[in-house]
Amino acid sequence: MADTGGWYGLLAIYQEAVQHQRDELERDPAACLDCGEPLTTGPNGELYCRFDGSTWEAGNRRTGRIGTAHN
């Protein structure tokens, strides 16, 4: 088991961290990163926060705002 300790163990930790970051960049956020409010699917399919109108996409990237006024 020469590949389980020392530098090989450190390399395995690094590779796991890289994969975790890739997974995070592909995953849609479940809640607004500003206020924690659960995100809702908007009229054009975008994820948005009903509280402040911010829109989000995979990787926790804010893409803008939509109007939150109710008619």
Side-chain angles (χ1 to χ4, degrees), residues 3-64:
D3 63 344
T4 60
W7 289 109
Y8 293 106
L10 186 59
L11 180 60
I13 292 169
Y14 172 76
Q15 290 170 335
E16 184 178 333
V18 168
Q19 184 60 47
H20 179 72
Q21 183 162 358
R22 279 190 200 126
D23 293 344
E24 285 295 313
L25 290 174
E26 295 173 359
R27 184 176 303 129
D28 288 336
C32 177
L33 275 82
D34 295 331
C35 66
E37 192 72 22
L39 297 176
T40 304
T41 302
N44 297 319
E46 71 278 8
L47 291 172
Y48 82 99
C49 175
R50 293 184 302 164
F51 181 73
D52 68 3
S54 58
T55 56
W56 300 88
E57 65 179 23
N60 296 329
R61 291 183 290 267
R62 184 192 319 265
T63 58

